[in-house]
Amino acid sequence: MAQLIKLQDYVSRYERDIFRYPGQFIRLKKENYDGIKQQWIRQREWDHIESDVDEDEEARQDKKDTFFKRLFKKHEDDEPFETIDHSVPKLPDNEDELKQDFLDRIFHFQLKWASSTLQEVSFLDRVFERDSRLKYFLTRFPDTFLLFYKPIFKLNKALLEGDIILVTPTSIVCIYWLDHEEEAVFEAVDQRKWIQRLDGKEESIVNPNTALKRMEGAVRSILNHHDIDYTIEKVVLAPNGRIQYHHLPYQTKYIDQSNYESWFSHHRSVTTPLKHQQLKAAGALLEHTQTTSIRRPEWEDVEDDF
């Protein structure tokens, strides 16, 4: 799953040390999934052996709950995945269910890393826990993709709110999400507006390329400031809709239902590891984002001791 390194203006572990946390996350995720999978296999074998034994259902459920309480082990030198909700209704029936349960729990853990550090905390809007778009990017893309979700950039004392930025091992992808639960048709009219057609109704919407250009401009300005050379792509994404256009803007892709599967499969299949230049680019972007947080009360006393 992709890593959430910046969420709006919340304080993030990654902005404290971009060269540590991405690799640490990948390692912890693998170690813990391998561990839970082995425990799951053993528990299923044990349940199979006990299947003929008369046992109270409540006691059987307690065993299954205990299985998940050991889901995330602690490491001496690393912060554990300590924020997972371990309550579960039942043991997963197959490995696909096990993986989905694991990803759901990691999703909530990622929100913790993207809104707090050991010394500071931001007040997380609970709406992000139900944000299907955020969950889509975090659970469907590779671990080596670093996600900025609605970041607020600081440029020359001005604030600019972005939409979705993926820092991959080969490029920075600026994404404007243009979608509905139902199929819609989007027609590119001119540089200022598009037409959206849905259920027989038409309405004008702002040309998404306007926001993409601002986002790309902010990213390019930051990279240039730090003398970082990295490819920047722009994508208008409408997985369930159709985009009608006469020509594509420079270095921009329109991804709709006609080519979504190929685009998605291409990114899902990326096996390239984290790159130093990728982390350097992500760190530069983080350096120019707005952060609003308070110090954790327990650290006030520690600081006084120093």
Side-chain angles (χ1 to χ4, degrees):
M1 63 191 308
Q3 301 187 49
L4 180 59
I5 68 172
K6 188 65 179 182
L7 177 62
Q8 279 194 341
D9 63 341
Y10 300 149
V11 66
S12 165
R13 309 282 165 107
Y14 294 88
E15 61 188 295
R16 295 298 179 259
D17 192 344
I18 189 60
F19 291 98
R20 171 192 173 192
Y21 282 103
Q24 178 176 317
F25 175 87
I26 293 173
R27 178 169 56 83
L28 288 175
K29 176 173 171 280
K30 182 181 185 305
E31 288 177 357
N32 282 281
Y33 182 73
D34 289 345
I36 185 180
K37 183 179 178 181
Q38 291 302 315
Q39 292 180 48
W40 174 72
I41 291 173
R42 287 194 295 269
Q43 186 66 48
R44 283 174 61 85
E45 291 173 347
W46 181 252
D47 285 353
H48 179 71
I49 294 173
E50 289 190 330
S51 61
D52 295 329
V53 179
D54 184 20
E55 183 177 35
D56 181 78
E57 178 60 29
E58 183 176 350
R60 188 182 299 275
Q61 185 61 47
D62 285 343
K63 287 185 177 181
K64 293 180 179 180
D65 290 346
T66 300
F67 163 74
F68 278 97
K69 288 178 181 179
R70 299 178 58 83
L71 178 61
F72 293 98
K73 61 185 178 180
K74 295 191 176 186
H75 299 264
E76 292 182 2
D77 298 325
D78 299 316
E79 183 184 0
F81 287 162
E82 82 289 1
T83 61
I84 306 300
D85 176 11
H86 297 291
S87 60
V88 293
K90 68 182 185 67
L91 196 71
D93 293 325
N94 53 60
E95 190 172 353
D96 286 340
E97 287 187 10
L98 181 72
K99 288 179 180 178
Q100 188 57 56
D101 185 85
F102 185 79
L103 291 177
D104 288 343
R105 293 161 189 272
I106 294 285
F107 170 72
H108 290 283
F109 166 77
Q110 286 221 57
L111 292 178
K112 175 71 179 295
W113 265 21
S115 60
S116 67
T117 67
L118 296 178
Q119 300 181 23
E120 299 175 78
V121 62
S122 299
F123 296 104
L124 178 69
D125 189 336
R126 296 303 175 186
V127 71
F128 289 115
E129 296 179 348
R130 304 181 299 274
D131 192 321
S132 59
R133 187 179 306 179
L134 173 60
K135 194 169 186 178
Y136 161 81
F137 281 100
L138 290 182
T139 60
R140 305 294 296 279
F141 290 87
D143 294 345
T144 55
F145 283 34
L146 310 178
L147 176 66
F148 288 75
Y149 194 75
K150 300 184 183 299
I152 300 175
F153 292 106
K154 297 184 296 183
L155 299 170
N156 297 325
K157 299 183 180 180
L159 299 180
L160 177 98
E161 184 173 348
D163 195 30
I164 299 164
I165 298 174
L166 278 175
V167 183
T168 80
T170 58
S171 66
I172 295 175
V173 187
C174 300
I175 300 174
Y176 188 97
W177 184 283
L178 191 64
D179 197 23
H180 290 269
E181 293 182 0
E182 302 178 51
E183 181 177 322
V185 176
F186 304 96
E187 181 182 355
V189 178
D190 55 38
Q191 293 185 351
R192 292 181 299 174
K193 71 175 183 178
W194 283 21
I195 297 295
Q196 172 188 294
R197 297 188 179 91
L198 181 64
D199 296 331
K201 299 179 181 179
E202 289 189 3
E203 67 173 296
S204 295
I205 61 173
V206 176
N207 187 334
N209 289 297
T210 302
L212 276 179
K213 287 179 181 178
R214 285 199 300 265
M215 196 156 37
E216 179 205 23
V219 170
R220 191 174 301 281
S221 175
I222 293 170
L223 295 186
N224 289 340
H225 178 74
H226 291 269
D227 294 321
I228 297 174
D229 183 22
Y230 215 66
T231 301
I232 303 175
E233 302 176 10
K234 301 191 294 292
V235 171
V236 178
L237 183 61
N240 298 322
R242 289 182 291 132
I243 301 175
Q244 299 176 343
Y245 60 94
H246 298 292
H247 63 86
L248 279 172
Y250 181 64
Q251 290 186 332
T252 302
K253 296 179 181 178
Y254 291 163
I255 306 299
D256 62 10
Q257 61 182 204
S258 67
N259 58 354
Y260 169 74
E261 286 301 328
S262 61
W263 177 84
F264 178 68
S265 297
H266 167 72
H267 287 296
R268 283 270 291 182
S269 62
V270 171
T271 57
T272 308
L274 290 166
K275 299 290 187 180
H276 178 82
Q277 192 75 348
Q278 174 193 10
L279 297 177
K280 188 176 177 181
L285 296 181
L286 285 170
E287 187 176 325
H288 293 269
T289 55
Q290 174 77 11
T291 295
T292 304
S293 64
I294 62 171
R295 292 184 65 79
R296 291 180 184 269
E298 59 266 30
W299 280 90
E300 297 294 344
D301 294 334
V302 173
E303 196 169 71
D304 288 343
D305 292 339
F306 282 124

